[in-house]
């Protein structure tokens, strides 16, 4: 069983790498879209801050993932492997097509599907899932409101200034806001794999309770940082260019607002989608200048990808779990 658990942990870290690979766009898209930083510099900054995030904001989100999807006393390592495989498959497919999906919800869907396949619906933890689904709704809507308000405030305060100096100032500030968002991204998304690894260790009887060893934090943070560094540039293009053309002050507003949302969620232990948060703030920041500045057709396509993420990854997780059960 120990060998199988080690294999499952490796699969979890692969998911964490894929998570960073897709979600690198979340923290660097706007700073690249506004041409403040070159892609390689932006991704490097994001990778470093993603690594640091979990050490600053604690592990409340990891606890929700470990305890709040499927009953930790009943789920097996094999089911966790099936769920991870479903999440990785879905995330990889969407990254290939340039869709900025929520890897967080791919993971939730994959573990849900595996739990349903192995245990049935009665072993799902509906209290935890309610918290997760609330985050799905609040994250993009709240992000859009925050982005709209912060951008409107900036426009109001700097209305009498020349565009050149304003863009130059916010170009420099955007480096700070990008780092801030990457920090909160690591604090939220970086913890999800930690929760899964702890669940694997507990299910295999390798730890007596759902506690968080330091090596788990280090391993998950490293995998996330490496994935971010080698990030998916198709997704970066979708978020940074296709939704709307951002000015530096709008990029600053989007990143600052998105980071605020994620910081709140990390403290509350809600596994929010960083993709939903930053996409919402980008839409809000673009709409603050004028409604037609946002390419709503692209936005609708992104929202559609969000809607199908949990069902799609759940089906993949169920399928893989059923296959595993045929051989064990």
């Amino acid at each position: 069983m120990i060998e199988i658990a080690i294999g499952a942990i490796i699969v979890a870290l692969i998911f964490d790498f894929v998570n960073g690979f897709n979600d690198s766009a979340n923290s660097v898209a706007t700073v690249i879209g506004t041409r403040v930083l070159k892609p390689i510099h932006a991704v490097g900054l994001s990778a470093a801050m993603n690594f640091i995030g979990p050490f600053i904001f604690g592990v409340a989100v990891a606890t929700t993932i470990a305890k709040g999807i499927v009953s930790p006393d009943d789920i097996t390592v094999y089911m966790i492997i099936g769920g991870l495989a479903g999440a990785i498959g879905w995330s990889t497919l969407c990254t290939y097509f340039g869709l900025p999906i929520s890897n967080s919800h791919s993971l939730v869907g994959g573990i849900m599907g595996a739990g349903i396949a192995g245990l049935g619906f009665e072993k799902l933890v509906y209290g935890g899932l309610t918290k997760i689904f609330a985050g799905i709704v609040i994250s993009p809507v709240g992000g859009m409101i925050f982005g709209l308000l912060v951008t409107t405030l900036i426009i109001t305060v700097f209305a009498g200034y020349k565009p050149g100096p304003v863009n130059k100032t916010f170009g420099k500030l955007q480096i700070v806001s990008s780092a801030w968002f990457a920090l909160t991204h690591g604090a939220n998304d970086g913890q999800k794999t930690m929760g899964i690894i702890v669940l694997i260790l507990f299910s295999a009887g390798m730890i007596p309770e759902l506690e968080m060893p330091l090596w788990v934090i280090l391993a998950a943070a490293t995998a996330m940082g490496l994935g971010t560094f080698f990030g998916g540039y198709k997704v970066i293009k979708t978020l940074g260019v296709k939704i709307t053309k951002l000015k530096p002050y709008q990029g600053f507003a989007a990143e600052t607002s998105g980071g605020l949302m994620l910081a709140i969620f990390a403290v509350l232990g809600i596994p929010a989608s960083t993709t939903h948060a930053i996409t919402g703030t980008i839409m809000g920041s673009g709409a603050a200048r004028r409604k037609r500045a946002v390419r709503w057709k692209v936005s609708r396509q992104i929202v559609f990808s969000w809607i199908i993420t949990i069902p799609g990854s759940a089906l993949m997780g169920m399928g893989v779990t059923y296959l595993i059960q045929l051989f064990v």
Side-chain angles (χ1 to χ4, degrees):
M1 178 58 73
I2 293 177
E3 291 80 5
I4 295 171
I6 292 172
I9 291 170
I10 292 172
V11 174
L13 292 174
I14 291 172
F15 171 80
D16 206 22
F17 180 88
V18 173
N19 190 349
F21 195 90
N22 187 288
D23 278 6
S24 65
N26 299 337
S27 53
V28 301
T30 53
V31 79
I32 293 172
T34 56
R35 294 177 173 81
V36 169
L37 288 179
K38 293 181 179 179
I40 186 65
H41 297 151
V43 172
L45 174 65
S46 178
M49 301 308 290
N50 267 304
F51 178 84
I52 297 171
F55 295 96
I56 294 178
F57 285 92
V59 293
V61 172
T63 302
T64 299
I65 291 295
K67 298 180 179 180
I69 301 176
V70 179
S71 171
D73 294 322
D74 297 297
I75 195 169
T76 67
V77 174
Y78 294 111
M79 294 177 206
I80 298 171
I81 292 174
L84 285 168
I88 291 171
W90 185 260
S91 296
T92 303
L93 181 68
C94 291
T95 298
Y96 177 79
F97 288 106
L99 293 174
I101 61 151
S102 167
N103 288 284
S104 309
H105 299 142
S106 293
L107 180 60
V108 171
I111 297 298
M112 279 182 62
I116 292 168
L119 301 169
F121 285 93
E122 63 272 16
K123 291 299 182 179
L124 295 179
V125 182
Y126 290 100
L129 290 173
T130 299
K131 180 188 288 189
I132 292 169
F133 287 128
I136 292 176
V137 177
I138 296 170
S139 186
V141 175
M144 183 177 292
I145 294 171
F146 278 12
L148 182 66
L149 291 176
V150 173
T151 304
T152 301
L153 177 63
I154 292 172
I155 291 173
T156 303
V157 172
F158 292 92
Y161 292 81
K162 293 182 179 179
V166 171
N167 286 330
K168 186 176 181 180
T169 299
F170 278 99
K172 294 177 181 178
L173 288 174
Q174 203 183 344
I175 298 174
V176 178
S177 63
S178 179
W180 158 247
F181 187 82
L183 182 73
T184 57
H185 172 264
N188 205 293
D189 270 25
Q191 291 190 44
K192 297 179 177 79
T193 299
M194 296 175 201
I196 293 299
I197 293 175
V198 167
L199 191 58
I200 293 169
L201 295 172
F202 179 74
S203 298
M206 298 171 69
I207 55 175
E209 56 186 38
L210 291 168
E211 57 188 12
M212 187 65 61
L214 178 60
W215 72 265
V216 173
I217 300 175
L218 287 170
T222 300
M224 170 73 74
L226 289 173
T228 301
F229 186 75
F230 296 103
Y233 290 97
K234 282 186 177 181
V235 179
I236 289 172
K237 183 178 179 182
T238 299
L239 279 178
V241 179
K242 286 186 178 180
I243 294 178
T244 185
K245 186 177 180 180
L246 297 176
K247 301 289 185 182
Y249 73 88
Q250 292 171 297
F252 171 83
E255 291 161 348
T256 302
S257 302
L260 179 60
M261 287 284 300
L262 294 180
I264 294 170
F265 278 33
V267 172
L268 294 176
I270 301 174
S273 167
T274 53
T275 308
H276 293 189
I278 193 62
T279 305
T281 58
I282 289 174
M283 291 179 186
S285 296
R289 185 158 55 98
R290 66 177 187 276
K291 185 177 179 180
R292 292 184 178 179
V294 179
R295 297 181 178 92
W296 296 105
K297 182 178 180 181
V298 175
S299 301
R300 285 194 296 269
Q301 292 172 349
I302 292 172
V303 171
F304 173 74
S305 73
W306 295 348
I307 293 172
I308 64 174
T309 289
I310 286 184
S313 57
L315 287 173
M316 284 191 174
M318 289 176 67
V320 175
T321 303
Y322 280 131
L323 286 175
I324 292 173
Q325 288 176 337
L326 293 175
F327 298 98
V328 297

